Amino acid sequence: MAEIIRLRDKAGETEKITINVGYVDLGHIDLLVQEGFYSNRSDFIRTAIRNQLSAHGEEVKKSITRHTLELGLRHYTRDDLEAVKAAGEKLHIKVLGLASIAPDVPVALALGTIDSITVLGALHASKEIKAALVDRIF
């Protein structure tokens, strides 16, 4: 099986999210940017998120252990799934971070080897794989 790789956000390895912020809060953020505390709004928001994640770090670690989540990047290749199939096993994918299924994985192979997918973060797979596994993605 492929190894787990710890991720650190880099350009191209992030997901875009949209949030709604009140005008007064947005004004405060803009003021801090204008005063040079942050380079832009995104810098402020990323810093705020990291601070909250750090503040709840112990709880997150306990939850990861409790839910038996793999942390970081978990990539499944065609060879990985063929090995699972040959062993007569089924996968229960549980990842906090990024789970990806290689683009050359046939739908039938994914259906035959993946029982469930739980991803807190992002799942990268072809549209066909996602559509086929939709009832197994939680």
Side-chain angles (χ1 to χ4, degrees), residues 99-116:
S100 66
I101 300 172
D104 67 337
V105 170
V107 170
L109 181 59
L111 283 169
T113 56
I114 300 172
D115 260 0
S116 66

Side-chain angles (χ1 to χ4, degrees), residues 88-110:
E89 298 176 357
K90 297 279 188 166
L91 292 176
H92 295 276
I93 297 170
K94 297 171 89 176
V95 175
L96 188 152
L98 171 65
S100 66
I101 300 172
D104 67 337
V105 170
V107 170
L109 181 59

Side-chain angles (χ1 to χ4, degrees), residues 58-70:
E58 237 359 86
E59 292 82 2
V60 169
K61 285 179 188 175
K62 289 176 186 174
S63 186
I64 288 169
T65 301
R66 187 172 61 252
H67 295 289
T68 61
L69 294 165
E70 297 181 72

Side-chain angles (χ1 to χ4, degrees), residues 27-44:
H28 284 111
I29 294 168
D30 286 345
L31 179 63
L32 290 170
V33 169
Q34 181 181 335
E35 292 296 318
F37 288 97
Y38 301 94
S39 57
N40 53 44
R41 290 174 175 176
S42 292
D43 182 33
F44 172 87

